[in-house]
Amino acid sequence: MDFPQALRSARRRHHLSQLDLALRAGTTQRHLSFIENGRSRPGRGIVVRLGESMGLPLRERNELLLAAGYAPVYPQTSLDDPALEHVRAALGHILTGHLPYPAIVVDPRHDLVLANGAFGLLTEGVAEHLLRPPVNVLRLSLHPEGLAPRIANLAQWARHILDRIPRDDLHDELSGYVPHIEPGPDHVGFAAPMRLRSARGELRLTTTITTFATALDVTVAELKLEAFLPADAATAALLAE
C-alpha cells in the first residue's frame, strides 16, 4: 500500500474528514488533499503528526512512516532487554499489589507475558498442554480442556470475548469451542461477570484492562494488564482466603 492510500484508509477508518484531520495535525485541508492525492510528498514531521492526530497504535504509525519512505520512529524492544527493566519492575509491583485477586499481562496475540500468584486459582485442572508457553489466555479460557468446563455462563462469557477480537484464525478456532446463542430482545451486550466454579465455591469475576497510554516503545504500548475483580462480597471473601 502506498502512502496516499494508507493515509486515506487510516483516516476513513477513524471516521475523520480531511478538514478534521488537518485541524488536528496543524496543517490545511488543501495540503492534506495534495498529500492524499499524491501531488505533494509529506515531510517526516507531518507523517508523525498525522499518525499521532489519528491516535494510531505505534506499530501502525511506524508502518505509515515506512509507506512514506521514512525509517520508523518508535522502537520495538524485547521485554527482556535491560532498557525495559523499569517496565518489568512496574508490572511486577502492579501484579503483586493486586493480590489476592488474579492479574495477568498479555501481548497483542493474547499470549501470557506475566501473572501473579492468584492466577493459579483460574487454571486449576486445565490440561497441561494449554499451559506450555506460549500460553494463549483466550484459548485457555474457551478450550474444552481449559477453563470452559468450569465457566457456568460459558456462552455469554465466550460471546463477550469473541465480540472484542478480530475475525482471524484464532477467532475461528475459539468460535468452534463454544455453543452458539442468539441475542434475545432484551440484549444489551454480553458484558457480564464470569461465573467460575472452583473447589472453594463459585467465583463471580469482572475484569479491567490497563494499557501504557503514553508509551513510546511498540512492545510496551501493546501490552495489556488484565485484572480480575470480585463481582460480589462472597467472591471477595473466597479470594481473600
Side-chain angles (χ1 to χ4, degrees), residues 127-150:
E128 183 182 347
H129 68 90
L130 293 173
L131 296 175
R132 296 189 194 121
V135 177
N136 185 277
V137 297
L138 300 187
R139 182 178 294 113
L140 183 67
S141 296
L142 302 184
H143 194 283
E145 297 180 74
L147 274 68
R150 295 170 50 212

Side-chain angles (χ1 to χ4, degrees), residues 23-234:
L23 290 173
R24 290 187 182 190
T27 187
T28 65
Q29 182 179 1
R30 177 183 174 86
H31 185 204
L32 184 56
S33 177
F34 276 25
I35 292 174
E36 285 196 358
N37 290 329
R39 296 173 61 187
S40 176
R41 185 175 187 275
R44 181 170 174 269
I46 186 64
V47 177
V48 171
R49 292 207 307 277
L50 289 169
E52 185 178 67
S53 299
M54 288 185 284
L56 298 182
L58 299 190
R59 184 180 297 275
E60 290 186 30
R61 297 186 202 182
N62 278 344
E63 291 170 354
L64 202 61
L65 283 158
L66 285 168
Y70 298 107
V73 168
Y74 306 98
Q76 183 173 356
T77 311
S78 169
L79 195 58
D80 295 331
D81 193 287
L84 295 187
E85 170 59 32
H86 64 291
V87 175
R88 295 194 301 274
L91 290 171
H93 287 311
I94 295 170
L95 291 174
T96 301
H98 194 67
L99 290 170
Y101 309 143
I104 59 176
V105 177
V106 298
D107 67 14
R109 297 175 298 278
H110 304 283
D111 287 343
L112 185 67
V113 176
L114 296 168
N116 68 6
F119 183 59
L121 294 173
L122 304 184
T123 59
E124 290 176 349
V126 306
E128 183 182 347
H129 68 90
L130 293 173
L131 296 175
R132 296 189 194 121
V135 177
N136 185 277
V137 297
L138 300 187
R139 182 178 294 113
L140 183 67
S141 296
L142 302 184
H143 194 283
E145 297 180 74
L147 274 68
R150 295 170 50 212
I151 300 178
N153 58 335
L154 177 61
Q156 290 83 3
W157 182 255
R159 186 55 51 193
H160 169 73
I161 291 174
L162 294 171
D163 283 351
R164 286 159 178 78
I165 63 173
R167 293 186 175 273
D168 53 15
D169 292 344
L170 180 61
H171 186 284
D172 292 343
E173 176 194 342
L174 299 180
S175 297
Y177 294 147
V178 296
H180 177 73
I181 59 171
E182 291 290 343
D186 299 325
H187 171 69
V188 291
F190 284 99
M194 177 174 67
R195 295 169 49 204
L196 184 67
R197 303 182 188 96
S198 78
R200 300 164 181 79
E202 184 174 286
L203 304 173
R204 295 175 60 87
L205 300 164
T206 60
T207 61
T208 63
I209 303 292
T210 303
T211 60
F212 286 82
T214 57
L216 294 178
D217 186 283
V218 175
T219 298
V220 179
E222 291 181 339
L223 292 177
K224 293 182 180 179
L225 189 150
E226 184 166 6
F228 293 81
L229 297 166
D232 55 34

